[in-house]
Amino acid sequence: MADNNLANQTSSAEMVQSNQDLLTQILLHFPVKSLLKSRCVSKRWLSLISDPQFAAKISHLNVNLGPSGLYFYGSPFGFLNFDTNHNMLKIEIFSSENKAWTDSGGPFEAPHYTDFEHGVFCNGAIHWLSPTDVSLYFDVETESLKTMAMPRTQTGGPSGYWSSQRFPYFGQCAGCLHLIEVDSISKPRFHILEMKPDHSHWCDKYRVNLNNVASEFPEIARRYMDEFPTLALNNVEEIEVQYYAYSILSVVIGEKDEDVEVVMVIPGKIISHNPRLNTSKLLSSWRANNVYDCMQYKWYNVFHYVESLATL
């Protein structure tokens, strides 16, 4: 019986080795670190894994599955150049092939105070928010500038205003564009909105209850007496939670519907929270100098890190 099993295993291995397509499909499901080690198996494996087309397939597969980490960068970087002339803007695209900038379309007028510094690339388009009811996105393939609606307020009226306090996060993951809306730092909840693929409207995808986060990490729920104890003596109201100290770093989506993590910085810690399962976990910690360090109401330059065989 042992000899038969060994013969079957040998036959299966030979079949895989002789079938290029089957071998490729199997290797595509290897972790990137394992693939790098597997290049030593044989010259054939080295040639296949080193093939740029194979590396492109790995990169595409890993992007669809979501990021394998987050990358922090100190300054924004982009490939679009904006020429301003009497409130009119012009988009130029840089070609890596001929090392030159070319105009894309004619001059246009953007909605007032459109935030071009925090563009989000998702599904072949770059998206920007504005304080009006309409924002912009640029389809890179067709080189066309289009509009998308901003979410309505909780009362159903027009958005009316935009700020990093109301929308502390704007990003993408696994091909989905996300926007987080916060009513107030004193309310124990916020909404994660997701843009429809046709850019028609935002839908309320997830809701985060910060009281559930505070059950695992109580330092997120703050009282003014914690920072100013002498001002809160004998004041019963100061014993209650007045605000929540946090900033959003990223929204990470996995393969399954319940695989969603909201990465936040709170006093002295970076944590992740799953709004589907109402679970939280610690990712990193340090000694916080000031509770307000995590309440700066700004978009952090955090980028999804995806394992890849592609060379830079």
Side-chain angles (χ1 to χ4, degrees), residues 179-215:
L179 182 66
I180 288 182
E181 182 177 16
V182 175
D183 295 336
S184 168
I185 62 171
S186 63
K187 293 186 178 180
R189 64 180 179 274
F190 61 79
H191 306 266
I192 303 176
L193 308 175
E194 186 174 289
M195 174 59 77
K196 288 294 185 180
D198 61 356
H199 293 87
S200 59
H201 66 282
W202 296 90
C203 62
D204 198 340
K205 189 68 174 181
Y206 310 102
R207 298 190 179 190
V208 175
N209 189 328
L210 294 174
N211 287 330
N212 294 330
V213 179
S215 64

Side-chain angles (χ1 to χ4, degrees), residues 5-232:
N5 290 337
L6 181 59
N8 290 335
Q9 292 177 5
T10 302
S11 177
S12 299
E14 291 176 348
M15 181 181 66
V16 171
Q17 183 66 15
S18 61
N19 191 319
Q20 179 83 359
D21 293 336
L22 181 58
L23 178 60
T24 299
Q25 289 302 317
I26 293 175
L27 291 178
L28 282 174
H29 291 82
F30 275 36
V32 171
K33 293 181 180 179
S34 298
L35 282 173
L36 296 176
K37 296 178 181 179
S38 298
R39 294 181 299 180
C40 300
V41 171
S42 66
K43 290 183 178 180
R44 184 182 181 191
W45 282 43
L46 174 61
S47 176
L48 175 59
I49 297 174
S50 302
D51 189 338
Q53 293 185 356
F54 181 82
K57 291 180 180 179
I58 285 287
S59 299
H60 180 71
L61 178 63
N62 285 344
V63 168
N64 290 339
L65 293 179
S68 49
L70 297 176
Y71 173 63
F72 292 74
Y73 188 61
S75 61
F77 175 78
F79 71 93
L80 293 183
N81 180 39
F82 293 89
D83 279 345
T84 59
N85 182 19
H86 303 294
N87 297 325
M88 300 296 291
L89 294 97
K90 181 178 61 175
I91 296 180
E92 298 178 352
I93 299 182
F94 182 78
S95 172
S96 58
E97 295 180 357
N98 55 28
K99 312 298 182 183
W101 292 89
T102 57
D103 292 344
S104 176
F108 66 93
E109 186 173 2
H112 198 46
Y113 290 123
T114 297
D115 185 13
F116 287 115
E117 293 186 4
H118 298 96
V120 175
F121 184 79
C122 181
N123 293 330
I126 305 175
H127 304 76
W128 304 281
L129 298 185
S130 82
T132 66
D133 289 339
V134 176
S135 290
L136 299 176
Y137 69 98
F138 178 75
D139 190 309
V140 176
E141 183 176 354
T142 62
E143 296 189 24
S144 55
L145 190 67
K146 303 177 182 179
T147 60
M148 63 177 181
M150 287 294 289
R152 314 292 285 184
T153 61
Q154 297 299 312
T155 58
S159 36
Y161 70 96
W162 176 95
S163 71
S164 58
Q165 292 188 8
R166 184 186 173 202
F167 298 119
Y169 176 79
F170 180 45
Q172 70 84 32
C173 184
C176 297
L177 194 65
H178 296 113
L179 182 66
I180 288 182
E181 182 177 16
V182 175
D183 295 336
S184 168
I185 62 171
S186 63
K187 293 186 178 180
R189 64 180 179 274
F190 61 79
H191 306 266
I192 303 176
L193 308 175
E194 186 174 289
M195 174 59 77
K196 288 294 185 180
D198 61 356
H199 293 87
S200 59
H201 66 282
W202 296 90
C203 62
D204 198 340
K205 189 68 174 181
Y206 310 102
R207 298 190 179 190
V208 175
N209 189 328
L210 294 174
N211 287 330
N212 294 330
V213 179
S215 64
E216 294 288 335
F217 300 98
E219 58 267 43
I220 193 176
R222 311 300 299 186
R223 303 170 300 172
Y224 291 124
M225 66 178 298
D226 297 328
E227 280 70 53
F228 309 102
T230 58
L231 300 179

